Each structure stands twice: as structure tokens, then as C-alpha cells.
Amino acid sequence: ERGRFCFFCIFRDWIEHKNSAGMFSVLAALATGSIGYVILFGLFLPNAGAGRLPPNAHIGPVSPVLVAAGLAFGLGMAFSGACISGHLYRLGQGYTRAPFALFGSLIGFGLGFMTWYELYIGSIVRSPVAWLPATFGYSGALILQLGVLLVLAVVMWRWLPSLPARAEGKITARAVWDAVIHHRWNPLLTGVLVGLIGVFSYLRVEPLGVTAQLGSISRTVLNNQGVLADRLPGLDTFAGCATAVIQTISDNGVLIIALVLGSFAVALAGGRFKLSKLTLRGATTALGGGVLMGWGSMIALGCTVGVLLSGISAFALSGWVFALSTFAGVFIGIKLGIHRWE
């Protein structure tokens, strides 16, 4: 919440306002995550060329379907005004479009489950699951990935605005409170913290992601209504934001509840909690955008946190493909002006 770490907001600031500060948050998160993940992978799977993948890491198939999912997700972000994780933390700020977008994502997940079989049989089943360390080794993959991130940072440097200077003076309780609660955090600090959270999450619980609980709710409802089979071919064999027929709150559900509560607490403490004005068009576009994001998340096996952030940190080619196609979807949406339909 204090770092404003929403992929749509970050992409929009760069595309529309020529401000790349937020992009440095993403690059820092990916660099931190890559270094942390390669250390953990070396412990779990010392030989990257053994023909196996690290346990539970978000490494998915690369196919035209993944590109379509990314484009849909990016367009959905533009329609609804945030990515799914962005809607969760902005819900804590009082963003009234967020509930419509999140409900729409449940519908989108349902549509994804109902179209999965045809897409899986038609394309996904034959698609490669590419993991960079299997080809380049851990050292080579890390050097390659950090090199790409460095090149992107150099390219974006020209659009980096001057960060506001902090007033000098004694470190007091009030100054610390303002720095933590009121002021927007430095993009690099934000990115490093997000990357560390992703590494810790993978080590202790599961790869960071925010859609597993939402997808499981949708899948459970459809299963209980007899619309969906208990098992979908291939779906449960891929790593990602796994969904299941459940009757309880999963670890991922606890995560997203805590994300909303944490955002609400800091927004309230900083005087930023305020119910935003809601219009019929705003609610409708948020709902439609949520449907697109839900479908894209289900087909891609995760969203910008699960596939992009956790996937790229895990050296998955699928993470890079999803990142590029999602950015393309946002770019198209912004150029068409649909992000203003609120």
C-alpha cells in the first residue's frame, strides 16, 4: 500500500505519464527474488540439469494460449483500474470498484475452467515447460536474468523522475511515523521488500500468488452445481496458483485477507481511507475487467504476482512471456483510453 505496488498503476505511469519510478520497484523485486530463489533452488535441487523442476515453483507451459491469457489480463487491468493484487490492497483504501472487479474475476475463473479442456487439448498439452537453469545452469541463468533486468533499468533510467528530498533533522518518533505511514516508500525499497516476501513465502508456505483462493471458490461453486468435473485434464499437474474443490479457507485465502486488512490498517492510520465515488459505468467496467483478469489468471495458472513475479523469480520462461503479453494488453487498453471508463 505504501509502495503503491500495483502492476497496472506501474505500467500506466510509464506508458501514459512517462514516469518509470514504479518500474524500478518491479525490477528490484525480480532481482531480489531471483537471487533468493537461486539460493533456495540450490538447496532443494542441487543439479539443475537433472531433468526435474524445483518443487511447487511457478514454472508453466509456454504456448499461444499463455500469450492470449496475458493479453486478456492486461486488458482487464485497463478496464478495471488495477491488477487483482492491486484491487485487494485498494479495497483496503476504500476503492469501491474493487469488489466488482474481484467478483468479476470469480466469473472469469469459471469461464476459464469451462474452456480449459479445449485449450489444453488444442495447444497446452504439447507446449514446452521451459526452465532457464536446466539450459544455462544456476549461475548462467542468474547472470542472464540479472543482465536483462539491468538492461531494462538502463533503458528506463531516462524516465525516472527526481525523488522528493526528505527534510533533514533529528530522527524522532514523529519523523519515523511519517516516513512509514504517510510518505510513499522509495521504489527500490518497495521492490526489495516485495522480493524478500516472495522468497520467504516460497521457503515457508508456497510461491507468492493471490488467485488460488479466488479460483478455488469459483471451481467449488461450479463443482457443487454439477457444471464442472472433479478433475480437469492436465490442470492439476502444472505448477502455479493451484485451484481445488475446497470447503475452507486455504493458506492463500489467509494471505489475501491479511493483505486487505494490512492495507486498511495503514490507510486508516495515514488518513487515506476514503470510499471512492462509484458510477454505473465504473462498476460495469470493473466487473468486465475482472472477468477478463479471472479468465486470464485461470488459463495462465496465476496473475501478475503468481506468474509474472513468482514465475520470473523462479527463472520460468512462462513468466517473461506472460509479462510481455500482459504489458501489451495494458498498452493497448491505455492507448484506446478504456482505463478512463470509470
Side-chain angles (χ1 to χ4, degrees), residues 294-317:
W295 182 86
S297 293
M298 191 276 126
I299 298 302
L301 306 177
C303 67
T304 43
V305 174
V307 183
L308 194 162
L309 185 64
S310 294
I312 293 179
S313 295
F315 302 96
L317 184 60

Side-chain angles (χ1 to χ4, degrees), residues 86-104:
H87 278 299
L88 289 170
Y89 92 68
R90 295 183 72 185
L91 181 64
Q93 295 175 329
Y95 189 50
T96 54
R97 297 180 76 204
F100 293 90
L102 294 171
F103 181 74

Side-chain angles (χ1 to χ4, degrees), residues 189-281:
L189 172 63
T190 299
V192 169
L193 289 176
V194 170
L196 289 174
I197 290 170
V199 173
F200 183 79
S201 178
Y202 177 70
L203 176 64
R204 298 301 303 163
V205 187
E206 60 189 6
L208 197 61
V210 297
T211 60
Q213 180 71 55
L214 295 174
S216 293
I217 292 173
S218 179
R219 187 172 181 179
T220 301
V221 170
L222 292 176
N223 180 268
N224 291 342
Q225 296 298 317
V227 177
L228 207 62
D230 289 336
R231 294 186 60 83
L232 294 172
L235 179 60
D236 298 320
T237 64
F238 290 124
C241 291
T243 60
V245 176
I246 58 175
Q247 306 298 330
T248 186
I249 299 177
S250 65
D251 288 340
N252 186 258
V254 176
L255 171 74
I256 62 176
I257 291 172
L259 195 159
V260 175
L261 292 177
S263 173
F264 171 72
V266 74
L268 191 64
R272 288 180 303 280
F273 179 82
K274 181 181 180 181
L275 293 177
S276 62
K277 181 181 179 181
L278 182 67
T279 65
L280 177 61
R281 185 166 71 169

Side-chain angles (χ1 to χ4, degrees), residues 2-341:
R2 292 315 311 125
R4 200 163 165 257
F5 198 86
C6 165
F7 282 92
F8 171 71
C9 299
I10 290 169
F11 290 167
R12 181 198 59 202
D13 285 349
W14 187 35
I15 295 170
E16 189 172 38
H17 304 302
K18 308 302 180 185
N19 183 337
S20 64
M23 295 296 286
F24 280 86
S25 289
V26 175
L27 297 179
L30 294 176
T32 303
S34 298
I35 295 170
Y37 264 62
V38 81
I39 294 172
L40 297 181
F41 287 167
L43 298 174
F44 294 142
L45 186 65
N47 182 7
R52 294 184 292 122
L53 296 175
N56 301 320
H58 287 184
I59 305 168
V62 179
S63 70
V65 173
L66 179 62
V67 175
L71 286 170
F73 193 92
L75 284 170
M77 286 199 291
F79 267 114
S80 67
C83 58
I84 290 180
S85 57
H87 278 299
L88 289 170
Y89 92 68
R90 295 183 72 185
L91 181 64
Q93 295 175 329
Y95 189 50
T96 54
R97 297 180 76 204
F100 293 90
L102 294 171
F103 181 74
S105 71
L106 294 176
I107 299 173
F109 266 101
L111 295 176
F113 289 127
M114 288 188 283
T115 56
W116 170 261
Y117 179 78
E118 288 76 13
L119 295 174
Y120 176 73
I121 296 299
S123 176
I124 299 174
V125 68
R126 297 185 298 275
S127 302
V129 177
W131 185 47
L132 297 181
T135 301
F136 303 103
Y138 286 126
S139 297
L142 181 61
I143 291 172
L144 175 63
Q145 191 143 289
L146 292 180
V148 171
L149 295 174
L150 178 60
V151 169
L152 291 174
V154 171
V155 170
M156 294 175 194
W157 185 265
R158 62 176 295 192
W159 294 289
L160 180 64
S162 298
L163 297 178
R166 295 283 183 255
E168 296 183 2
K170 293 183 178 180
I171 298 178
T172 63
R174 180 64 188 183
V176 172
W177 175 266
D178 287 340
V180 174
I181 302 298
H182 289 287
H183 299 310
R184 181 177 176 179
W185 290 2
N186 182 284
L188 293 180
L189 172 63
T190 299
V192 169
L193 289 176
V194 170
L196 289 174
I197 290 170
V199 173
F200 183 79
S201 178
Y202 177 70
L203 176 64
R204 298 301 303 163
V205 187
E206 60 189 6
L208 197 61
V210 297
T211 60
Q213 180 71 55
L214 295 174
S216 293
I217 292 173
S218 179
R219 187 172 181 179
T220 301
V221 170
L222 292 176
N223 180 268
N224 291 342
Q225 296 298 317
V227 177
L228 207 62
D230 289 336
R231 294 186 60 83
L232 294 172
L235 179 60
D236 298 320
T237 64
F238 290 124
C241 291
T243 60
V245 176
I246 58 175
Q247 306 298 330
T248 186
I249 299 177
S250 65
D251 288 340
N252 186 258
V254 176
L255 171 74
I256 62 176
I257 291 172
L259 195 159
V260 175
L261 292 177
S263 173
F264 171 72
V266 74
L268 191 64
R272 288 180 303 280
F273 179 82
K274 181 181 180 181
L275 293 177
S276 62
K277 181 181 179 181
L278 182 67
T279 65
L280 177 61
R281 185 166 71 169
T284 303
T285 52
L287 181 70
V291 172
L292 286 171
M293 289 193 294
W295 182 86
S297 293
M298 191 276 126
I299 298 302
L301 306 177
C303 67
T304 43
V305 174
V307 183
L308 194 162
L309 185 64
S310 294
I312 293 179
S313 295
F315 302 96
L317 184 60
S318 56
W320 286 104
V321 172
F322 185 77
L324 291 173
S325 54
T326 298
F327 181 83
V330 173
F331 183 86
I332 293 170
I334 288 177
K335 292 303 178 181
L336 293 176
I338 62 177
H339 62 303
R340 299 193 184 94
W341 296 356

